[in-house]
Structures are given as structure tokens and as C-alpha cells.
Amino acid sequence: MLTAIDHIIIGVNNLEQATTLFTQKLGLAVSGGGIHPTGGTANRIIVIGDTYLELIAVHTPAEAQESMLGRLAIREGYLNFVLASNDIEADSRTMANRGVSIIGPAPGSLRAADGRTRGWSRTNIERPDLAQRYPFIIQHDSIGEERRFRLAGWATPPEHPLGVTQVRSATIAVADLAEATQRFQHIYGLEPSETFTGEADGWDAMLVSFPLGGNDQGQSFELAEPLPLSAEEDQEVDYEHLPEPGALARYLQQFGESLCRITLAVQNLDASRRYLDEQEVTYTYRNMAHPVVWIHPDYACGASIVLHQQTT
């Protein structure tokens, strides 16, 4: 079963600078990480509940994937996200039986600076690229608190000054919502929600959600189609900041069908805003029935991050 969002992959050009930015500016404490034996990459980890953000950079360019090099040449930002499986062998067989082109399961590992390693099994959809439109699936060699402990560098995961408690969702920008919904449903065997608008988050999009089972977090991934540009042509808008009119369409044009935002839950949205204000981080605040904060991607290595108030 596909149980949760396992992690979010954010491609960066300089791992140390990205670590400083996320830790000191955004209040998302970085821990763990190391060097991948293959693929020419290194990473740092931000553990949030049972999910984590992975800051990943090219360590050995000659070994790195061309797709990742090409994406980073345009801009830092999201490469993909990953779905957790509690039985990757069974899930992979089920996908293959539906006629889905997969590669795997195949083993993977990461070596920390002190020589300790952690491992996983991974199944890719269509191709093994990090930067592609389809999330791959993964099963780690540890679960629960042991997995969190290893991810954080064999230490207790730190708390986050921003007050983040959970990764709620990941959103993929698509050109045709109806077609993409059928395609993703076929690949992952998940049931989509009814179509809904982006009004709750204050952006011009139509969306479908795929709830993930087997966990009490209420996580999902979403597909989002941009609505026609409603702003006046002479209105000044930031076409890199997703809640602005036209920004999602431009993102889709620039990067194609791909991950465009993640939504995080925080303990207290007002306290999170005060922290961002103190760090002089630019964001958009929508004061609606359920207030929302959109952190500008310039302050998150090109990643659009949405903050919601934690619900009980």
C-alpha cells in the first residue's frame, strides 16, 4: 500500500548555502545527510514528522543525471516527491499488472560522514530520473522512530523554529486536469477526489486530490491546472510566485508537468508569520476563513511553500 508522502526532493546548487538558508532564514532545521554512492549527488535532510525534505546537490558532475543538471541550470527548486510503500514488492507487481512501465524495486543507500549507512528499495515510474513528473515509490530499511533517528543523522530530529509539524500535501502542475487525473489514477491505483478550486489557498487553479492511506496524517498529493489569467494585462504581478495571477501557467510552461508546491502544517500560523517577519522573509498572507501563508520561492531555493494552521 502507498501509505504517505515519504519525502520531497529540492535541487540546490550549493548544499551549504541551502542548509544555511533553510535553517536560519526559514526556521526549518537541517540534520543528517551524506553522499550517495551512485548518481553523483549529496544531500541534507529536514525531518518533519514522518516525512522529510531532501536538499540535494550535485557532488560529482560527471556522474550526475542530465535531467538534474538541466533542471538546476534553469533554476533551483523542486525535482520530485516520493511515495512511501509498506510492501514495495507487492505494490510494484500491482503496478506492472496494470500495464505501468516501472523499473525496480532496486536497492539504494547513503553513506554519512561517519561511515554509517542507511538503505532502501526504490521503484521508478518509466525512468530512474530524479527530475521527472512521476513520483517514485520507496521502502526504507527502518520504520517509525528508528527511521526518523537515522534520517536525522543518527540523532533525535530537531524541532523547527518555524513551528512546522507536518507535510500535508505535494502539488503537481498539469496542463489538462481531467486527462492527468485518469493517468495518475491508473499508475498509482489511488482514488481521486472531486474537482475543487484553489480558492481556499487564494490562487487561480482547479485541483484534484489523491488521499494516501495507511496513516493518520491525512496526507495527499494533488494535481493543479491553471485557470486562465484573470488579471489585467498592465497589472504588475510576480510570475514566479504561485498565488499571483498567471504564475502557475508560467511555471507549467517553464518546467512542464512537475511538482510546483508543498503544503506544511504549523502549530501557530501567527507565530510562524512573526518568525518570518523577524528573518525578513517575503511571503503572501491570505486572511480568509482558513488563513494561509505562501513563502516566496526566492527564500526557499526556488521552492514554493504554503503554510496552514495545524488542525486537531
Side-chain angles (χ1 to χ4, degrees), residues 124-138:
N124 298 286
I125 313 303
E126 290 191 341
R127 63 181 197 264
D129 290 356
L130 284 175
Q132 62 162 310
R133 60 187 175 181
Y134 295 127
F136 57 87
I137 64 174
I138 197 168

Side-chain angles (χ1 to χ4, degrees), residues 190-243:
L190 299 170
E191 288 299 316
S193 70
E194 296 294 326
T195 303
F196 59 97
T197 72
E199 181 180 2
D201 284 344
W203 67 322
D204 296 330
M206 293 297 295
L207 300 97
V208 162
S209 175
F210 288 89
L212 296 163
N215 70 91
D216 58 2
Q217 298 186 60
Q219 286 184 321
S220 66
F221 75 84
E222 304 166 329
L223 307 178
E225 176 186 348
L227 291 176
L229 182 62
S230 58
E232 296 294 333
E233 289 186 5
D234 60 352
Q235 181 178 339
E236 289 188 11
V237 295
D238 182 348
Y239 285 101
E240 306 300 332
H241 195 23
L242 284 190

Side-chain angles (χ1 to χ4, degrees), residues 77-281:
Y78 293 121
L79 300 183
N80 207 341
F81 67 97
V82 184
L83 298 173
S85 169
N86 60 7
D87 189 340
I88 197 167
E89 294 284 349
D91 285 332
S92 298
R93 284 195 302 271
T94 300
M95 284 182 169
N97 289 340
R98 285 200 300 271
V100 178
S101 176
I102 62 171
I103 302 172
S109 65
L110 180 136
R111 184 183 73 254
D114 61 7
R116 285 184 287 190
T117 62
R118 57 181 178 84
W120 56 82
S121 292
R122 165 178 167 173
T123 294
N124 298 286
I125 313 303
E126 290 191 341
R127 63 181 197 264
D129 290 356
L130 284 175
Q132 62 162 310
R133 60 187 175 181
Y134 295 127
F136 57 87
I137 64 174
I138 197 168
Q139 184 172 15
H140 292 266
D141 61 0
S142 59
I143 61 174
E145 287 304 312
E146 175 64 22
R147 171 177 167 273
R148 285 167 41 82
F149 182 78
R150 294 188 187 187
L151 285 170
W154 284 265
T156 300
E159 293 186 0
H160 302 293
L162 187 59
V164 170
T165 58
Q166 178 197 16
V167 177
R168 280 191 168 171
S169 64
T171 307
I172 299 171
V174 300
D176 185 330
L177 187 60
E179 182 278 327
T181 298
Q182 292 182 349
R183 178 160 38 92
F184 277 78
Q185 182 179 14
H186 171 70
I187 291 171
Y188 297 102
L190 299 170
E191 288 299 316
S193 70
E194 296 294 326
T195 303
F196 59 97
T197 72
E199 181 180 2
D201 284 344
W203 67 322
D204 296 330
M206 293 297 295
L207 300 97
V208 162
S209 175
F210 288 89
L212 296 163
N215 70 91
D216 58 2
Q217 298 186 60
Q219 286 184 321
S220 66
F221 75 84
E222 304 166 329
L223 307 178
E225 176 186 348
L227 291 176
L229 182 62
S230 58
E232 296 294 333
E233 289 186 5
D234 60 352
Q235 181 178 339
E236 289 188 11
V237 295
D238 182 348
Y239 285 101
E240 306 300 332
H241 195 23
L242 284 190
E244 296 294 338
L248 181 58
R250 177 169 170 78
Y251 189 97
L252 188 62
Q253 181 182 33
Q254 187 171 23
F255 299 112
E257 185 177 290
S258 59
L259 178 62
C260 65
R261 74 164 187 175
I262 62 172
T263 301
L264 308 178
V266 297
Q267 291 174 329
N268 185 301
L269 192 61
D270 289 337
S272 297
R273 289 180 64 203
R274 286 194 294 272
Y275 179 88
L276 295 173
D277 289 340
E278 290 169 359
Q279 302 303 318
E280 299 182 332
V281 172

